[in-house]
């Protein structure tokens, strides 16, 4: 049941949660909430191949599923294959159409723009996301990446300092610190 699967997920019993959501989905193939949780769990464990498969499954059932579109767009952009960037952009825009005010979705769309070499477009999305989540280190870091691409390194340094000042789990902190050190030493990418 969903309750048991949620209990496992909340208590860091990821393998049990994955098994439980798989069972739910096998019994009810149209349960897209279970599928979404399954995809998110795979994504959180770093199994991007499985996560992509689940999100693609969800989008096959409901092409307008904003959560699956957003998460799949993020994975494609993060993997960085040029051949996937148009699809990542299409998916990110689908998510944005479904949730126009969601800062996380704006961050994903900005990230896709950044990966496509469109830093001006990216910056607009990151600014929108940052207005709603002002202290979010990931968004601040992404804003800095766009500013660096635009040649605005002193502005970028300010955002990088803010992004690494936080103590909560910021998985891109090492990259942010390295970029700040590079900016402060005056080196280009």
């Amino acid at each position: 049941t969903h309750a048991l699967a949620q209990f496992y997920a909340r208590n860091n019993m990821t393998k049990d949660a994955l098994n439980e959501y798989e069972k739910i989905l096998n019994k009810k193939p149209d349960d897209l909430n279970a599928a979404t949780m399954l995809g998110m769990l795979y994504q959180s464990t770093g199994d991007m191949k499985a996560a992509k498969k689940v999100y693609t499954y969800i989008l096959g059932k409901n092409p307008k599923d904003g959560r699956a579109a957003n998460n799949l767009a993020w994975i494609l952009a993060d993997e960085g294959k040029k051949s996937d960037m148009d699809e990542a952009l299409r998916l990110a825009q689908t998510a944005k159409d479904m949730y126009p005010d969601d800062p996380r979705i704006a961050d994903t769309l900005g990230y896709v723009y950044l990966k496509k070499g469109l830093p001006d477009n990216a910056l607009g999305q990151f600014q929108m996301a940052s207005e709603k989540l002002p202290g979010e280190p990931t968004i601040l870091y992404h804003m800095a990446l766009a500013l660096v691409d635009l040649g605005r390194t002193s502005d970028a340094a300010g955002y990088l300092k803010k992004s690494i000042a936080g103590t909560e789990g910021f998985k891109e902190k090492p990259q942010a610190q390295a970029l700040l050190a590079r900016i402060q030493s005056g080196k280009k990418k």
Side-chain angles (χ1 to χ4, degrees):
T1 68
H2 274 276
L4 183 58
Q6 289 168 351
F7 169 81
Y8 289 145
R10 274 196 306 274
N11 289 288
N12 295 322
M13 300 165 73
T14 308
K15 190 172 182 176
D16 295 319
L18 285 168
N19 289 337
E20 204 58 37
Y21 281 117
E22 288 273 3
K23 281 188 216 168
I24 293 168
L25 206 52
N26 286 333
K27 284 182 190 164
K28 298 180 186 170
D30 291 331
D31 188 338
L32 298 186
N33 286 326
T36 299
M37 288 302 300
L38 187 62
M40 289 168 48
L41 283 166
Y42 278 130
Q43 197 171 350
S44 73
T45 63
D47 189 345
M48 297 308 157
K49 186 176 181 182
K52 282 176 18 181
K53 186 176 175 185
V54 172
Y55 295 139
T56 301
Y57 171 82
I58 294 167
L59 291 165
K61 297 242 177 222
N62 177 8
K64 297 274 186 223
D65 189 300
R67 294 175 301 179
N70 181 70
N71 294 351
L72 185 54
W74 181 268
I75 292 170
L76 292 175
D78 204 39
E79 289 177 344
K81 291 182 194 152
K82 273 223 179 297
S83 59
D84 290 339
M85 288 305 121
D86 288 342
E87 179 64 4
L89 181 58
R90 186 189 71 73
L91 291 165
Q93 288 171 325
T94 295
K96 185 75 172 170
D97 290 346
M98 299 307 293
Y99 303 104
D101 298 323
D102 188 311
R104 303 262 181 224
I105 288 176
D107 182 51
T108 298
L109 181 55
Y111 190 64
V112 172
Y113 281 139
L114 196 61
K115 292 291 196 153
K116 282 187 66 72
L118 301 166
D120 281 315
N121 297 40
L123 190 59
Q125 293 300 318
F126 297 144
Q127 286 169 330
M128 191 184 317
S130 186
E131 285 169 15
K132 291 192 163 90
L133 294 172
E136 175 59 41
T138 300
I139 294 169
L140 295 170
Y141 171 59
H142 294 158
M143 182 106 71
L145 290 173
L147 290 166
V148 166
D149 282 0
L150 291 166
R152 295 170 52 191
T153 54
S154 61
D155 291 340
Y159 284 103
L160 288 166
K161 287 174 186 169
K162 287 181 201 169
S163 76
I164 60 180
T167 54
E168 75 275 356
F170 170 39
K171 69 179 173 88
E172 294 162 305
K173 192 171 188 171
Q175 294 96 314
Q177 290 169 322
L179 181 56
L180 181 59
R182 211 163 43 242
I183 287 171
Q184 289 172 333
S185 73
K187 291 180 182 161
K188 295 284 181 204
K189 277 190 186 182

PDB file of all heavy atoms in Angstrom, residues 141-172:
ATOM      1  N   TYR A 141      23.546  28.927  -6.945  1.00  0.00           N
ATOM      2  CA  TYR A 141      24.671  28.392  -7.723  1.00  0.00           C
ATOM      3  C   TYR A 141      24.356  28.434  -9.219  1.00  0.00           C
ATOM      4  O   TYR A 141      25.184  28.855 -10.028  1.00  0.00           O
ATOM      5  CB  TYR A 141      24.974  26.956  -7.266  1.00  0.00           C
ATOM      6  CG  TYR A 141      25.969  26.230  -8.140  1.00  0.00           C
ATOM      7  CD1 TYR A 141      27.260  26.718  -8.328  1.00  0.00           C
ATOM      8  CD2 TYR A 141      25.625  25.044  -8.775  1.00  0.00           C
ATOM      9  CE1 TYR A 141      28.174  26.046  -9.136  1.00  0.00           C
ATOM     10  CE2 TYR A 141      26.532  24.363  -9.573  1.00  0.00           C
ATOM     11  CZ  TYR A 141      27.797  24.867  -9.750  1.00  0.00           C
ATOM     12  OH  TYR A 141      28.698  24.202 -10.546  1.00  0.00           O
ATOM     13  N   HIS A 142      23.155  28.029  -9.578  1.00  0.00           N
ATOM     14  CA  HIS A 142      22.773  28.065 -10.993  1.00  0.00           C
ATOM     15  C   HIS A 142      22.766  29.502 -11.523  1.00  0.00           C
ATOM     16  O   HIS A 142      23.181  29.754 -12.659  1.00  0.00           O
ATOM     17  CB  HIS A 142      21.412  27.395 -11.202  1.00  0.00           C
ATOM     18  CG  HIS A 142      21.439  25.928 -10.925  1.00  0.00           C
ATOM     19  ND1 HIS A 142      20.305  25.215 -10.613  1.00  0.00           N
ATOM     20  CD2 HIS A 142      22.462  25.034 -10.916  1.00  0.00           C
ATOM     21  CE1 HIS A 142      20.640  23.950 -10.424  1.00  0.00           C
ATOM     22  NE2 HIS A 142      21.936  23.814 -10.595  1.00  0.00           N
ATOM     23  N   MET A 143      22.310  30.433 -10.696  1.00  0.00           N
ATOM     24  CA  MET A 143      22.329  31.845 -11.088  1.00  0.00           C
ATOM     25  C   MET A 143      23.771  32.277 -11.365  1.00  0.00           C
ATOM     26  O   MET A 143      24.043  32.962 -12.359  1.00  0.00           O
ATOM     27  CB  MET A 143      21.731  32.695  -9.962  1.00  0.00           C
ATOM     28  CG  MET A 143      21.656  34.153 -10.286  1.00  0.00           C
ATOM     29  SD  MET A 143      20.009  34.731 -10.630  1.00  0.00           S
ATOM     30  CE  MET A 143      19.263  34.659  -9.047  1.00  0.00           C
ATOM     31  N   ALA A 144      24.685  31.849 -10.508  1.00  0.00           N
ATOM     32  CA  ALA A 144      26.100  32.193 -10.698  1.00  0.00           C
ATOM     33  C   ALA A 144      26.644  31.610 -12.002  1.00  0.00           C
ATOM     34  O   ALA A 144      27.399  32.281 -12.717  1.00  0.00           O
ATOM     35  CB  ALA A 144      26.922  31.695  -9.506  1.00  0.00           C
ATOM     36  N   LEU A 145      26.245  30.380 -12.329  1.00  0.00           N
ATOM     37  CA  LEU A 145      26.699  29.765 -13.585  1.00  0.00           C
ATOM     38  C   LEU A 145      26.259  30.600 -14.791  1.00  0.00           C
ATOM     39  O   LEU A 145      27.036  30.823 -15.717  1.00  0.00           O
ATOM     40  CB  LEU A 145      26.155  28.338 -13.723  1.00  0.00           C
ATOM     41  CG  LEU A 145      26.722  27.289 -12.778  1.00  0.00           C
ATOM     42  CD1 LEU A 145      25.959  25.973 -12.933  1.00  0.00           C
ATOM     43  CD2 LEU A 145      28.209  27.085 -13.015  1.00  0.00           C
ATOM     44  N   ALA A 146      25.007  31.059 -14.758  1.00  0.00           N
ATOM     45  CA  ALA A 146      24.497  31.889 -15.862  1.00  0.00           C
ATOM     46  C   ALA A 146      25.271  33.206 -15.931  1.00  0.00           C
ATOM     47  O   ALA A 146      25.635  33.664 -17.016  1.00  0.00           O
ATOM     48  CB  ALA A 146      22.998  32.142 -15.691  1.00  0.00           C
ATOM     49  N   LEU A 147      25.525  33.814 -14.778  1.00  0.00           N
ATOM     50  CA  LEU A 147      26.253  35.084 -14.751  1.00  0.00           C
ATOM     51  C   LEU A 147      27.683  34.920 -15.278  1.00  0.00           C
ATOM     52  O   LEU A 147      28.190  35.792 -15.987  1.00  0.00           O
ATOM     53  CB  LEU A 147      26.252  35.663 -13.333  1.00  0.00           C
ATOM     54  CG  LEU A 147      24.886  36.177 -12.862  1.00  0.00           C
ATOM     55  CD1 LEU A 147      24.879  36.400 -11.352  1.00  0.00           C
ATOM     56  CD2 LEU A 147      24.512  37.451 -13.605  1.00  0.00           C
ATOM     57  N   VAL A 148      28.329  33.811 -14.943  1.00  0.00           N
ATOM     58  CA  VAL A 148      29.674  33.546 -15.464  1.00  0.00           C
ATOM     59  C   VAL A 148      29.611  33.448 -16.986  1.00  0.00           C
ATOM     60  O   VAL A 148      30.441  34.038 -17.690  1.00  0.00           O
ATOM     61  CB  VAL A 148      30.278  32.263 -14.841  1.00  0.00           C
ATOM     62  CG1 VAL A 148      31.502  31.800 -15.617  1.00  0.00           C
ATOM     63  CG2 VAL A 148      30.634  32.506 -13.380  1.00  0.00           C
ATOM     64  N   ASP A 149      28.621  32.707 -17.490  1.00  0.00           N
ATOM     65  CA  ASP A 149      28.479  32.574 -18.948  1.00  0.00           C
ATOM     66  C   ASP A 149      28.243  33.927 -19.617  1.00  0.00           C
ATOM     67  O   ASP A 149      28.594  34.120 -20.775  1.00  0.00           O
ATOM     68  CB  ASP A 149      27.334  31.622 -19.303  1.00  0.00           C
ATOM     69  CG  ASP A 149      27.712  30.158 -19.146  1.00  0.00           C
ATOM     70  OD1 ASP A 149      28.858  29.865 -18.753  1.00  0.00           O
ATOM     71  OD2 ASP A 149      26.848  29.298 -19.419  1.00  0.00           O
ATOM     72  N   LEU A 150      27.649  34.859 -18.884  1.00  0.00           N
ATOM     73  CA  LEU A 150      27.382  36.200 -19.412  1.00  0.00           C
ATOM     74  C   LEU A 150      28.557  37.158 -19.171  1.00  0.00           C
ATOM     75  O   LEU A 150      28.475  38.340 -19.491  1.00  0.00           O
ATOM     76  CB  LEU A 150      26.105  36.767 -18.786  1.00  0.00           C
ATOM     77  CG  LEU A 150      24.803  36.058 -19.214  1.00  0.00           C
ATOM     78  CD1 LEU A 150      23.649  36.447 -18.310  1.00  0.00           C
ATOM     79  CD2 LEU A 150      24.490  36.378 -20.671  1.00  0.00           C
ATOM     80  N   GLY A 151      29.638  36.644 -18.565  1.00  0.00           N
ATOM     81  CA  GLY A 151      30.820  37.469 -18.316  1.00  0.00           C
ATOM     82  C   GLY A 151      30.703  38.359 -17.088  1.00  0.00           C
ATOM     83  O   GLY A 151      31.522  39.254 -16.891  1.00  0.00           O
ATOM     84  N   ARG A 152      29.707  38.121 -16.259  1.00  0.00           N
ATOM     85  CA  ARG A 152      29.476  38.945 -15.058  1.00  0.00           C
ATOM     86  C   ARG A 152      30.020  38.205 -13.822  1.00  0.00           C
ATOM     87  O   ARG A 152      29.284  37.833 -12.921  1.00  0.00           O
ATOM     88  CB  ARG A 152      27.986  39.240 -14.926  1.00  0.00           C
ATOM     89  CG  ARG A 152      27.460  40.101 -16.068  1.00  0.00           C
ATOM     90  CD  ARG A 152      25.953  40.213 -16.113  1.00  0.00           C
ATOM     91  NE  ARG A 152      25.365  40.619 -14.846  1.00  0.00           N
ATOM     92  CZ  ARG A 152      24.050  40.578 -14.603  1.00  0.00           C
ATOM     93  NH1 ARG A 152      23.203  40.185 -15.536  1.00  0.00           N
ATOM     94  NH2 ARG A 152      23.575  40.951 -13.423  1.00  0.00           N
ATOM     95  N   THR A 153      31.336  38.024 -13.800  1.00  0.00           N
ATOM     96  CA  THR A 153      31.941  37.200 -12.754  1.00  0.00           C
ATOM     97  C   THR A 153      31.861  37.813 -11.357  1.00  0.00           C
ATOM     98  O   THR A 153      31.729  37.076 -10.387  1.00  0.00           O
ATOM     99  CB  THR A 153      33.411  36.870 -13.087  1.00  0.00           C
ATOM    100  OG1 THR A 153      34.112  38.086 -13.337  1.00  0.00           O
ATOM    101  CG2 THR A 153      33.512  35.952 -14.286  1.00  0.00           C
ATOM    102  N   SER A 154      31.921  39.137 -11.250  1.00  0.00           N
ATOM    103  CA  SER A 154      31.843  39.710  -9.897  1.00  0.00           C
ATOM    104  C   SER A 154      30.444  39.497  -9.308  1.00  0.00           C
ATOM    105  O   SER A 154      30.318  39.210  -8.116  1.00  0.00           O
ATOM    106  CB  SER A 154      32.239  41.184  -9.882  1.00  0.00           C
ATOM    107  OG  SER A 154      31.383  41.944 -10.705  1.00  0.00           O
ATOM    108  N   ASP A 155      29.395  39.608 -10.145  1.00  0.00           N
ATOM    109  CA  ASP A 155      28.039  39.304  -9.672  1.00  0.00           C
ATOM    110  C   ASP A 155      27.942  37.824  -9.300  1.00  0.00           C
ATOM    111  O   ASP A 155      27.344  37.457  -8.284  1.00  0.00           O
ATOM    112  CB  ASP A 155      26.989  39.609 -10.760  1.00  0.00           C
ATOM    113  CG  ASP A 155      26.838  41.100 -11.043  1.00  0.00           C
ATOM    114  OD1 ASP A 155      27.228  41.922 -10.179  1.00  0.00           O
ATOM    115  OD2 ASP A 155      26.330  41.437 -12.128  1.00  0.00           O
ATOM    116  N   ALA A 156      28.529  36.978 -10.141  1.00  0.00           N
ATOM    117  CA  ALA A 156      28.500  35.533  -9.896  1.00  0.00           C
ATOM    118  C   ALA A 156      29.154  35.197  -8.562  1.00  0.00           C
ATOM    119  O   ALA A 156      28.641  34.356  -7.805  1.00  0.00           O
ATOM    120  CB  ALA A 156      29.202  34.791 -11.026  1.00  0.00           C
ATOM    121  N   ALA A 157      30.268  35.851  -8.239  1.00  0.00           N
ATOM    122  CA  ALA A 157      30.986  35.574  -6.988  1.00  0.00           C
ATOM    123  C   ALA A 157      30.082  35.812  -5.783  1.00  0.00           C
ATOM    124  O   ALA A 157      30.103  35.028  -4.826  1.00  0.00           O
ATOM    125  CB  ALA A 157      32.240  36.435  -6.896  1.00  0.00           C
ATOM    126  N   GLY A 158      29.271  36.858  -5.830  1.00  0.00           N
ATOM    127  CA  GLY A 158      28.351  37.141  -4.719  1.00  0.00           C
ATOM    128  C   GLY A 158      27.347  36.013  -4.517  1.00  0.00           C
ATOM    129  O   GLY A 158      27.083  35.593  -3.381  1.00  0.00           O
ATOM    130  N   TYR A 159      26.797  35.514  -5.618  1.00  0.00           N
ATOM    131  CA  TYR A 159      25.835  34.410  -5.523  1.00  0.00           C
ATOM    132  C   TYR A 159      26.512  33.123  -5.052  1.00  0.00           C
ATOM    133  O   TYR A 159      25.934  32.353  -4.279  1.00  0.00           O
ATOM    134  CB  TYR A 159      25.125  34.185  -6.867  1.00  0.00           C
ATOM    135  CG  TYR A 159      24.075  35.223  -7.140  1.00  0.00           C
ATOM    136  CD1 TYR A 159      24.307  36.265  -8.023  1.00  0.00           C
ATOM    137  CD2 TYR A 159      22.843  35.171  -6.490  1.00  0.00           C
ATOM    138  CE1 TYR A 159      23.341  37.234  -8.260  1.00  0.00           C
ATOM    139  CE2 TYR A 159      21.867  36.125  -6.718  1.00  0.00           C
ATOM    140  CZ  TYR A 159      22.124  37.161  -7.603  1.00  0.00           C
ATOM    141  OH  TYR A 159      21.164  38.116  -7.833  1.00  0.00           O
ATOM    142  N   LEU A 160      27.743  32.907  -5.493  1.00  0.00           N
ATOM    143  CA  LEU A 160      28.466  31.713  -5.065  1.00  0.00           C
ATOM    144  C   LEU A 160      28.738  31.756  -3.562  1.00  0.00           C
ATOM    145  O   LEU A 160      28.585  30.752  -2.867  1.00  0.00           O
ATOM    146  CB  LEU A 160      29.780  31.578  -5.843  1.00  0.00           C
ATOM    147  CG  LEU A 160      29.615  31.169  -7.307  1.00  0.00           C
ATOM    148  CD1 LEU A 160      30.909  31.384  -8.075  1.00  0.00           C
ATOM    149  CD2 LEU A 160      29.150  29.721  -7.415  1.00  0.00           C
ATOM    150  N   LYS A 161      29.140  32.923  -3.066  1.00  0.00           N
ATOM    151  CA  LYS A 161      29.401  33.059  -1.621  1.00  0.00           C
ATOM    152  C   LYS A 161      28.141  32.748  -0.821  1.00  0.00           C
ATOM    153  O   LYS A 161      28.197  32.052   0.194  1.00  0.00           O
ATOM    154  CB  LYS A 161      29.912  34.461  -1.294  1.00  0.00           C
ATOM    155  CG  LYS A 161      31.336  34.690  -1.757  1.00  0.00           C
ATOM    156  CD  LYS A 161      31.762  36.134  -1.547  1.00  0.00           C
ATOM    157  CE  LYS A 161      33.143  36.374  -2.143  1.00  0.00           C
ATOM    158  NZ  LYS A 161      33.492  37.779  -2.207  1.00  0.00           N
ATOM    159  N   LYS A 162      26.986  33.270  -1.294  1.00  0.00           N
ATOM    160  CA  LYS A 162      25.716  32.988  -0.608  1.00  0.00           C
ATOM    161  C   LYS A 162      25.379  31.505  -0.679  1.00  0.00           C
ATOM    162  O   LYS A 162      24.894  30.930   0.285  1.00  0.00           O
ATOM    163  CB  LYS A 162      24.572  33.797  -1.227  1.00  0.00           C
ATOM    164  CG  LYS A 162      24.593  35.270  -0.918  1.00  0.00           C
ATOM    165  CD  LYS A 162      23.389  35.938  -1.574  1.00  0.00           C
ATOM    166  CE  LYS A 162      23.605  37.419  -1.741  1.00  0.00           C
ATOM    167  NZ  LYS A 162      22.585  38.037  -2.598  1.00  0.00           N
ATOM    168  N   SER A 163      25.646  30.884  -1.834  1.00  0.00           N
ATOM    169  CA  SER A 163      25.261  29.475  -2.003  1.00  0.00           C
ATOM    170  C   SER A 163      26.068  28.552  -1.092  1.00  0.00           C
ATOM    171  O   SER A 163      25.534  27.574  -0.585  1.00  0.00           O
ATOM    172  CB  SER A 163      25.408  29.030  -3.465  1.00  0.00           C
ATOM    173  OG  SER A 163      26.755  28.804  -3.823  1.00  0.00           O
ATOM    174  N   ILE A 164      27.333  28.858  -0.876  1.00  0.00           N
ATOM    175  CA  ILE A 164      28.158  27.966  -0.053  1.00  0.00           C
ATOM    176  C   ILE A 164      28.105  28.309   1.435  1.00  0.00           C
ATOM    177  O   ILE A 164      28.616  27.551   2.254  1.00  0.00           O
ATOM    178  CB  ILE A 164      29.622  27.906  -0.555  1.00  0.00           C
ATOM    179  CG1 ILE A 164      30.285  29.268  -0.525  1.00  0.00           C
ATOM    180  CG2 ILE A 164      29.683  27.314  -1.940  1.00  0.00           C
ATOM    181  CD1 ILE A 164      31.726  29.269  -1.004  1.00  0.00           C
ATOM    182  N   ALA A 165      27.456  29.419   1.779  1.00  0.00           N
ATOM    183  CA  ALA A 165      27.355  29.812   3.182  1.00  0.00           C
ATOM    184  C   ALA A 165      26.377  28.921   3.950  1.00  0.00           C
ATOM    185  O   ALA A 165      26.506  28.733   5.151  1.00  0.00           O
ATOM    186  CB  ALA A 165      26.926  31.278   3.302  1.00  0.00           C
ATOM    187  N   GLY A 166      25.395  28.358   3.265  1.00  0.00           N
ATOM    188  CA  GLY A 166      24.386  27.527   3.925  1.00  0.00           C
ATOM    189  C   GLY A 166      24.970  26.223   4.440  1.00  0.00           C
ATOM    190  O   GLY A 166      25.994  25.751   3.964  1.00  0.00           O
ATOM    191  N   THR A 167      24.286  25.650   5.404  1.00  0.00           N
ATOM    192  CA  THR A 167      24.782  24.415   6.011  1.00  0.00           C
ATOM    193  C   THR A 167      23.993  23.181   5.563  1.00  0.00           C
ATOM    194  O   THR A 167      24.470  22.079   5.702  1.00  0.00           O
ATOM    195  CB  THR A 167      24.723  24.504   7.547  1.00  0.00           C
ATOM    196  OG1 THR A 167      23.386  24.842   7.931  1.00  0.00           O
ATOM    197  CG2 THR A 167      25.698  25.534   8.075  1.00  0.00           C
ATOM    198  N   GLU A 168      22.774  23.388   5.045  1.00  0.00           N
ATOM    199  CA  GLU A 168      21.966  22.223   4.668  1.00  0.00           C
ATOM    200  C   GLU A 168      22.550  21.526   3.440  1.00  0.00           C
ATOM    201  O   GLU A 168      23.448  22.045   2.786  1.00  0.00           O
ATOM    202  CB  GLU A 168      20.500  22.613   4.429  1.00  0.00           C
ATOM    203  CG  GLU A 168      20.209  23.351   3.138  1.00  0.00           C
ATOM    204  CD  GLU A 168      20.410  24.852   3.197  1.00  0.00           C
ATOM    205  OE1 GLU A 168      20.720  25.409   4.246  1.00  0.00           O
ATOM    206  OE2 GLU A 168      20.246  25.462   2.128  1.00  0.00           O
ATOM    207  N   GLY A 169      22.031  20.339   3.160  1.00  0.00           N
ATOM    208  CA  GLY A 169      22.584  19.522   2.083  1.00  0.00           C
ATOM    209  C   GLY A 169      22.554  20.185   0.721  1.00  0.00           C
ATOM    210  O   GLY A 169      21.512  20.270   0.087  1.00  0.00           O
ATOM    211  N   PHE A 170      23.684  20.657   0.284  1.00  0.00           N
ATOM    212  CA  PHE A 170      23.836  21.305  -1.014  1.00  0.00           C
ATOM    213  C   PHE A 170      24.854  20.486  -1.781  1.00  0.00           C
ATOM    214  O   PHE A 170      26.061  20.657  -1.600  1.00  0.00           O
ATOM    215  CB  PHE A 170      24.269  22.765  -0.804  1.00  0.00           C
ATOM    216  CG  PHE A 170      24.703  23.509  -2.034  1.00  0.00           C
ATOM    217  CD1 PHE A 170      24.058  23.341  -3.247  1.00  0.00           C
ATOM    218  CD2 PHE A 170      25.763  24.401  -1.975  1.00  0.00           C
ATOM    219  CE1 PHE A 170      24.464  24.045  -4.376  1.00  0.00           C
ATOM    220  CE2 PHE A 170      26.176  25.109  -3.093  1.00  0.00           C
ATOM    221  CZ  PHE A 170      25.522  24.927  -4.297  1.00  0.00           C
ATOM    222  N   LYS A 171      24.380  19.557  -2.618  1.00  0.00           N
ATOM    223  CA  LYS A 171      25.284  18.591  -3.234  1.00  0.00           C
ATOM    224  C   LYS A 171      26.248  19.208  -4.239  1.00  0.00           C
ATOM    225  O   LYS A 171      27.275  18.617  -4.548  1.00  0.00           O
ATOM    226  CB  LYS A 171      24.516  17.420  -3.833  1.00  0.00           C
ATOM    227  CG  LYS A 171      23.671  17.728  -5.037  1.00  0.00           C
ATOM    228  CD  LYS A 171      22.983  16.468  -5.539  1.00  0.00           C
ATOM    229  CE  LYS A 171      22.013  16.722  -6.627  1.00  0.00           C
ATOM    230  NZ  LYS A 171      22.432  16.729  -7.954  1.00  0.00           N
ATOM    231  N   GLU A 172      25.935  20.391  -4.735  1.00  0.00           N
ATOM    232  CA  GLU A 172      26.834  21.037  -5.703  1.00  0.00           C
ATOM    233  C   GLU A 172      27.838  21.989  -5.027  1.00  0.00           C
ATOM    234  O   GLU A 172      28.551  22.717  -5.711  1.00  0.00           O
ATOM    235  CB  GLU A 172      26.008  21.790  -6.751  1.00  0.00           C
ATOM    236  CG  GLU A 172      25.182  20.847  -7.630  1.00  0.00           C
ATOM    237  CD  GLU A 172      24.062  21.550  -8.366  1.00  0.00           C
ATOM    238  OE1 GLU A 172      23.239  22.218  -7.718  1.00  0.00           O
ATOM    239  OE2 GLU A 172      24.014  21.424  -9.599  1.00  0.00           O
TER     240      GLU A 172
END
